[in-house]
Amino acid sequence: MKASHILYPIMFIVVIYFVYSNIRNNVKYKKENMEVFLLLNEDDRGVHLMSSLLMAILIGATGILIFGLLNSKTYNTEDVLVMGVLPILMIALYIPLSKKTKVTSLGIHKRSYLIRWEDIKGINYNKPDSKNKVKVKILYKSANRDIPAELTFLKDDPQLAEFKELAKTHRDSKRKDKKSGK
């Protein structure tokens, strides 16, 4: 028994679970009428670039492997199927990582995770660093513990001012809804 006989099924299960949970969350957010206010240009640029490069490398490597396997004529259908389906699932997994961070009516949607407005405990706007980027630190509550998140803006970016206004209005309105028992 090869390690690939154990490794591939485990990878299939893990990837299918993450893809399923991502689709389920997106459907749930659409049912809650999530309205997108802002797509952040500067936030997570490194992650977006790495995800895109990884997807391109994965597609290229899969094509080369399948082409080589077909040319050698020593393949079985199961090997070709595994080599073709697993990269497709990995690409479906990396698509949410390559999307831009969204500020929505429900909260901040970053890397396929939603930080709801009512869960945000505090927002700290730091001073610009040497690259003229402003790091916004967000502290939110998830699973009964405080978790930090970070958004990146350019110093004079109009998106920063718009984010401040959106955060102020939506956090205040969600607090009022909580206090009034709605």
Side-chain angles (χ1 to χ4, degrees), residues 123-127 134-137 160 163-164 167-168:
I123 299 176
N124 186 15
Y125 301 95
N126 294 336
K127 292 183 179 180
V134 176
K135 303 282 185 184
V136 177
K137 306 251 185 212
L160 178 60
F163 174 77
K164 285 180 181 180
K168 183 179 178 184

Side-chain angles (χ1 to χ4, degrees), residues 16-29 92 96:
I16 287 173
Y17 169 75
F18 281 114
V19 169
Y20 168 75
S21 66
N22 191 13
I23 291 171
R24 183 189 66 210
N25 286 339
N26 285 338
V27 168
K28 184 174 88 173
Y29 301 149

Side-chain angles (χ1 to χ4, degrees), residues 32-182:
E32 294 181 46
N33 297 325
M34 181 171 75
E35 182 183 343
V36 177
F37 297 128
L38 193 60
L39 289 171
L40 303 183
N41 296 329
E42 276 305 307
D43 191 47
D44 278 349
R45 282 187 121 179
V47 172
H48 301 291
L49 178 65
M50 291 304 294
S51 296
S52 300
L53 287 175
L54 187 61
M55 283 191 284
I57 290 170
L58 194 60
I59 291 169
T62 301
I64 291 169
L65 287 173
I66 290 176
F67 183 72
L69 194 65
L70 293 174
N71 279 345
S72 70
K73 295 183 170 103
T74 59
Y75 64 90
N76 58 22
T77 316
E78 180 183 315
D79 290 337
V80 174
L81 184 66
V82 166
M83 282 189 193
V85 172
L86 187 62
I88 291 170
L89 289 174
M90 294 297 280
I91 289 168
L93 179 65
Y94 275 96
I95 285 174
L97 292 177
S98 64
K99 289 184 178 178
K100 290 184 176 184
T101 303
K102 297 184 271 189
V103 179
T104 67
S105 57
L106 299 177
I108 301 165
H109 199 263
K110 182 174 179 152
R111 294 187 201 153
S112 78
Y113 183 75
L114 180 67
I115 303 169
R116 293 192 178 266
W117 292 115
E118 56 266 17
D119 294 336
I120 296 176
K121 295 176 85 177
I123 299 176
N124 186 15
Y125 301 95
N126 294 336
K127 292 183 179 180
D129 61 6
S130 60
K131 297 177 184 176
N132 277 333
K133 292 187 178 184
V134 176
K135 303 282 185 184
V136 177
K137 306 251 185 212
I138 299 170
L139 187 66
Y140 65 98
K141 189 170 186 131
S142 178
N144 295 326
R145 61 185 187 146
D146 294 341
I147 300 173
E150 190 174 87
L151 300 177
T152 306
F153 295 92
L154 290 177
K155 179 182 175 185
D156 297 324
D157 194 354
Q159 286 187 334
L160 178 60
E162 196 173 344
F163 174 77
K164 285 180 181 180
E165 189 62 35
L166 286 169
K168 183 179 178 184
T169 56
H170 284 283
R171 284 186 66 217
D172 289 344
S173 67
K174 295 297 180 183
R175 283 187 195 152
K176 288 176 185 173
D177 289 349
K178 255 187 178 178
K179 287 179 183 177
S180 64
K182 290 184 181 176

